[in-house]
């Protein structure tokens, strides 16, 4: 959609001459047979009518509708007279835009079509009736008059004032300007940068995830803090299965037994690991009794990771929050990248063990699974970064520096788990 907005800006730029502009005019003239050309952008066309257009032109309108609440149309006198009467969001009757095919068939499409040509003011009722009778002989005169009067009532007052004070001048060139509002600043669409359009698109498309509300309330974390947490989730060098699970954990979209029971896929919501409590996401990673030994093991690792910490923020660290959300800030003497990677592997192993037990496996040693998985992924990253891409400085920074659990000696990794 972003690129469609850029092309839309070019479409409205008279200095940009290309063939596809004429094909666009040809196709949009078929919308309700109104032959509106560029004035069609003042309207909001329903999808059923948009389907008549090629997909690329449909996307023009979809992109514009996506940011419509962030745009304004600076209107000259000529622009006011060129305003479409139908499917125009500024002309609403009974809370709906209008489409009157007999008016359209008679050539009554824009505001100028119901105004005098050489003086100010709107045409009288009988003039509208005569225009429609030329095309449709058998017409209900009173019905036409009633609709015309209703139309006049719903036309914006500013437009009426323009019609009653300024004459419609055909000879003056028309230009359509679209002003985009971003952070209370107005930008001309024709001159708008891609970055500005991207910012506006994000504001209109992106929604605040609802899943993180659980973690906000559970750990008293602000929305601003989650920007850093998402960085850890989507770290470019993390294996895809870790990224996927971390994404699901933060969004609280893991299918626990409580959720599966609600949708009728399991008979009970009891945890299959401890067989004693209901299984929600907090139970899977924190509250399950079968995690006690593993949590104690992780705590011993964290004590060693933080042993050289030289920061007052150490008092803010909580083990449960660390396991779910990771470390959100930098601390002198602590390799936060390795720590967050370690917690990501821990979450993965807890969830992996849970799935294995649900599938009928038994006697899964969670500590050994964690140690093996951590060694496997760290070794993989070592080979990938150091030996394949000559990026040992990145590996040193992300994994080895300020890390008492890992050393590199003579091109060999030594784990102290």
């Amino acid at each position: 959609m972003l690129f469609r907005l850029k092309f839309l800006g070019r479409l409205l730029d008279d200095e940009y001459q290309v063939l596809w502009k004429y094909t666009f005019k040809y196709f949009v003239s078929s919308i309700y047979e109104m032959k509106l050309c560029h004035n069609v952008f003042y309207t909001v066309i329903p999808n059923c009518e948009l389907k008549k257009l090629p997909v690329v032109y449909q996307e023009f309108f979809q992109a514009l509708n996506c940011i419509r609440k962030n745009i304004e149309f600076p209107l000259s006198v000529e622009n006011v007279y060129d305003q479409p009467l139908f499917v125009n969001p500024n002309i609403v009757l009974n809370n709906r835009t209008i489409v009157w095919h007999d008016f359209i068939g008679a050539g009554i499409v824009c505001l100028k079509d119901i105004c005098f040509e050489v003086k100010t003011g709107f045409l009288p009722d009988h003039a509208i009736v005569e225009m429609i009778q030329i095309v449709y002989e058998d017409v209900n005169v009173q019905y036409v008059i009633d609709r015309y009067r209703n139309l006049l009532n719903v036309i914006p007052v500013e437009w009426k004032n323009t019609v009653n004070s300024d004459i419609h001048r055909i000879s003056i060139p028309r230009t359509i300007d679209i002003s985009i509002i971003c952070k209370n600043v107005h930008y001309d669409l024709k001159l708008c940068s891609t970055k500005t359009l991207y910012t506006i698109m994000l504001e209109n498309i992106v929604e605040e995830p609802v899943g993180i509300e659980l973690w906000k309330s559970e750990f008293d974390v602000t929305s601003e803090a989650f920007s850093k947490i998402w960085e850890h989730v989507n770290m470019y060098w993390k294996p895809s299965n870790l990224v996927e699970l971390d994404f699901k954990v933060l969004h609280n979209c893991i299918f626990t037994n409580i959720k599966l029971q609600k949708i009728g896929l399991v008979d009970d919501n009891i945890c299959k690991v401890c067989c004693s409590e209901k299984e929600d996401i907090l139970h899977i990673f924190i509250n399950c009794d079968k995690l006690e030994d593993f949590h104690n093991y992780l705590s011993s690792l964290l004590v060693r990771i933080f042993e050289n910490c030289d920061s007052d923020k150490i008092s803010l660290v909580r083990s449960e929050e660390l396991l779910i959300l990771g470390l959100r800030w930098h601390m002198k003497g602590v390799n936060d990248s390795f720590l967050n990677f370690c917690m990501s592997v821990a979450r993965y192993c807890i969830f992996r063990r849970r799935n294995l037990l649900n599938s009928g496996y038994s006697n899964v040693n969670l500590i050994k699974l964690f140690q093996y998985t951590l060694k496997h992924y760290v070794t993989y990253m070592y080979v990938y970064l150091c030996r394949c891409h000559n990026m040992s400085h990145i590996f040193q920074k992300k994994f080895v520096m300020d890390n008492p659990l890992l050393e590199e000696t003579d091109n060999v990794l030594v784990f102290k788990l």
Side-chain angles (χ1 to χ4, degrees), residues 59-326:
E59 292 173 351
F60 275 29
F61 291 95
Q62 292 166 356
L64 188 63
N65 290 337
C66 182
I67 65 167
R68 188 167 287 273
K69 67 179 182 180
N70 293 90
I71 64 176
E72 290 181 356
F73 293 95
L75 299 179
S76 64
V77 173
E78 288 68 36
N79 292 143
V80 171
Y81 274 102
D82 288 340
Q83 283 293 315
L85 296 174
F86 306 110
V87 287
N88 189 326
N90 293 304
I91 300 178
V92 178
L93 185 62
N94 297 326
N95 297 320
R96 297 176 61 184
T97 58
I98 55 177
V99 179
W100 296 337
H101 294 283
D102 52 348
F103 277 62
I104 295 173
I108 304 173
V109 174
C110 297
L111 189 64
K112 62 187 177 184
D113 298 324
I114 59 174
C115 301
F116 290 105
E117 292 186 2
V118 294
K119 67 175 184 177
T120 60
F122 291 96
L123 293 173
D125 299 346
H126 65 83
I128 302 298
V129 172
E130 290 177 3
M131 293 168 65
I132 294 179
Q133 284 180 330
I134 293 175
V135 181
Y136 305 99
E137 296 180 359
D138 187 15
V139 65
N140 187 325
V141 174
Q142 190 58 46
Y143 182 50
V144 171
I145 293 174
D146 291 341
R147 283 185 295 159
Y148 178 56
R149 290 176 179 175
N150 288 334
L151 175 61
L152 293 179
N153 288 333
V154 296
I155 291 175
V157 175
E158 297 83 358
W159 299 0
K160 292 180 184 178
N161 294 337
T162 299
V163 170
N164 290 321
S165 60
D166 294 288
I167 298 175
H168 175 225
R169 292 165 290 184
I170 301 176
S171 59
I172 294 182
R174 266 75 166 158
T175 58
I176 295 180
D177 295 320
I178 299 180
S179 179
I180 296 185
I181 306 170
C182 180
K183 297 180 180 179
N184 297 322
V185 179
H186 289 69
Y187 299 89
D188 186 347
L189 177 60
K190 295 189 289 291
L191 305 175
C192 200
S193 67
T194 302
K195 181 178 180 180
T196 301
L197 291 174
Y198 183 71
T199 301
I200 296 172
M201 292 291 290
L202 287 181
E203 290 177 353
N204 287 275
I205 294 177
V206 176
E207 297 181 3
E208 185 75 15
V210 296
I212 64 176
E213 296 300 323
L214 169 66
W215 309 122
K216 287 181 181 180
S217 60
E218 186 70 25
F219 299 122
D220 192 24
V221 180
T222 63
S223 298
E224 292 74 18
F226 269 90
S227 61
K228 189 65 178 178
I229 296 172
W230 286 118
E231 289 182 14
H232 297 319
V233 170
N234 298 296
M235 193 64 69
Y236 69 94
W237 41 264
K238 277 174 60 175
S240 59
N241 51 354
L242 301 187
V243 173
E244 179 184 0
L245 178 62
D246 290 348
F247 180 88
K248 290 179 178 179
V249 169
L250 278 193
H251 278 287
N252 188 21
C253 60
I254 289 178
F255 280 103
T256 62
N257 284 342
I258 287 180
K259 293 181 179 180
L260 291 174
Q261 186 188 40
K262 287 182 178 180
I263 60 179
L265 294 182
V266 295
D267 296 329
D268 62 78
N269 55 21
I270 301 300
C271 172
K272 299 301 186 294
V273 179
C274 66
C275 301
S276 60
E277 298 182 22
K278 295 180 180 180
E279 184 193 69
D280 59 11
I281 193 168
L282 286 171
H283 180 85
I284 290 177
F285 294 100
I286 297 176
N287 297 329
C288 184
D289 293 338
K290 297 297 183 180
L291 291 174
E292 183 177 358
D293 291 341
F294 182 66
H295 285 165
N296 291 336
Y297 171 73
L298 278 184
S299 297
S300 66
L301 292 183
L302 292 175
V303 169
R304 293 165 59 192
I305 290 175
F306 285 106
E307 64 184 3
N308 296 321
C309 177
D310 183 16
S311 173
D312 295 336
K313 292 183 178 180
I314 187 67
S315 60
L316 302 177
V317 176
R318 293 176 291 176
S319 58
E320 292 181 351
E321 180 180 341
L322 204 61
L323 177 59
I324 299 297
L325 303 180

Side-chain angles (χ1 to χ4, degrees), residues 297 301 304 338 370-372 374-375 405 415-417:
Y297 171 73
L301 292 183
R304 293 165 59 192
F338 177 81
F370 168 77
Q371 291 174 340
Y372 169 81
L374 184 62
K375 290 179 181 179
L405 304 184
F415 293 88
K416 300 178 181 180
L417 302 177

